[in-house]
Amino acid sequence: MTPEIVILAMIAAFLGLRLYSVLGRRAEHEEEPIQGRFEGRQGQPGAPRVPAPKADGKPDAKGDAKGDERGRVGQPQRLREMPLAPPSVERGLAEISSADRRFDAYAFLEGARSAYRLILESFWKGDKAELRALCEGDVYDSFAAAIDARLAAGETMDNRLIRIEDVAIVSAGVESGLARITLRFRSDIAAVTRDAEGHVIAGSLDDAIEAVDVWTFSRQLNSSGPDWLLDETDAG
């Protein structure tokens, strides 16, 4: 082997070692974890103060710093899905959460959507027993009176809730130990009223109309039961 070949081989080996050293350090740095967009932001002013559910879907009952950390790490997707709300609503939800550690704003919204459908369908069918279990006294009395008037006229309602387009929190807070949350529901409903012979006297199942309802649900904070009841209704 000539001296020139030996010298070139040594130079190539030296350059190879230098290149490996540089690339190796870059790879090590590139493997370092990068903090996610939602980690470390929840404690900043203006972040939602409602409690985040734990990874198993249950609300954290302790509300301590460890529970808050679990909420941030366990459910980042649900934090992104939480609808934006004005500061007054955020303060109201925080007030309810402070008074009732079992309160879960996410679960409440999901339950309110189900309650909206169930209450409407019970009213259309004339199911007073179901309405009594879901509504406060005054609201139930109004529904029951409308059902009685409909029966006296020999009319029936053949309504269909096509879809719930949107649910927004309008207000929230605690009044004299009573937690109250007002929601605005925007939905599409196909409404038909039939007479005693089954003839359509109003509405059509072919054309859904947009309905906007403002409903308020309430719950006594000293109650052992978890149920929220509809205690006020209004048109949007």
Side-chain angles (χ1 to χ4, degrees):
M1 181 179 296
T2 64
E4 290 82 3
I5 295 177
V6 173
I7 293 173
L8 290 174
M10 293 176 62
I11 293 174
F14 176 79
L15 292 176
L17 289 173
R18 292 288 296 173
L19 183 61
Y20 174 81
S21 176
V22 173
L23 292 178
R25 284 198 297 269
R26 287 188 61 186
E28 291 172 357
H29 288 302
E30 287 171 357
E31 290 174 0
E32 292 180 0
I34 300 175
Q35 187 181 45
R37 288 188 300 140
F38 295 95
E39 297 176 7
R41 293 184 59 185
Q42 296 303 309
Q44 295 179 358
R49 298 179 61 191
V50 296
K54 296 194 297 182
D56 59 4
K58 297 179 181 179
D60 190 297
K62 295 182 180 180
D64 56 9
K66 292 182 179 179
D68 292 340
E69 185 64 25
R70 284 194 298 268
R72 291 198 295 270
V73 175
Q75 291 289 348
Q77 182 62 33
R78 297 191 72 176
L79 286 174
R80 288 195 292 269
E81 293 173 351
M82 186 65 181
L84 296 176
S88 60
V89 171
E90 291 188 2
R91 287 194 296 270
L93 293 174
E95 186 179 9
I96 295 173
S97 177
S98 177
D100 181 4
R101 293 297 183 183
R102 297 174 298 174
F103 176 69
D104 182 336
Y106 307 97
F108 174 84
L109 283 175
E110 293 170 2
R113 293 174 71 95
S114 298
Y116 179 75
R117 178 181 293 274
L118 185 56
I119 290 172
L120 286 180
E121 292 177 347
S122 298
F123 173 66
W124 295 335
K125 292 185 298 184
D127 189 342
K128 292 183 180 180
E130 191 71 59
L131 290 171
R132 187 181 293 277
L134 298 169
C135 305
E136 286 286 359
D138 291 343
V139 175
Y140 168 77
D141 290 342
S142 297
F143 281 139
I147 291 172
D148 291 340
R150 196 166 69 218
L151 292 175
E155 297 175 352
T156 58
M157 299 187 77
D158 187 15
N159 291 8
R160 314 281 174 83
L161 178 58
I162 306 302
R163 69 182 62 85
I164 300 175
E165 294 284 358
D166 181 59
V167 182
I169 303 177
V170 176
S171 64
V174 178
E175 302 174 4
S176 303
L178 183 71
R180 305 182 82 237
I181 301 179
T182 300
L183 304 171
R184 179 183 291 108
F185 296 88
R186 187 167 59 86
S187 60
D188 292 331
I189 297 175
V192 168
T193 301
R194 302 180 186 274
D195 62 16
E197 286 74 36
H199 300 137
V200 176
I201 58 177
S204 170
L205 288 178
D206 296 328
D207 298 318
I209 60 174
E210 183 180 73
V212 180
D213 295 298
V214 179
W215 286 10
T216 300
F217 293 87
S218 65
R219 176 182 175 274
Q220 288 288 347
L221 293 174
N222 60 3
S223 172
S224 58
D227 295 338
W228 291 74
L229 299 177
L230 177 64
D231 77 353
E232 187 176 340
T233 64
D234 198 358

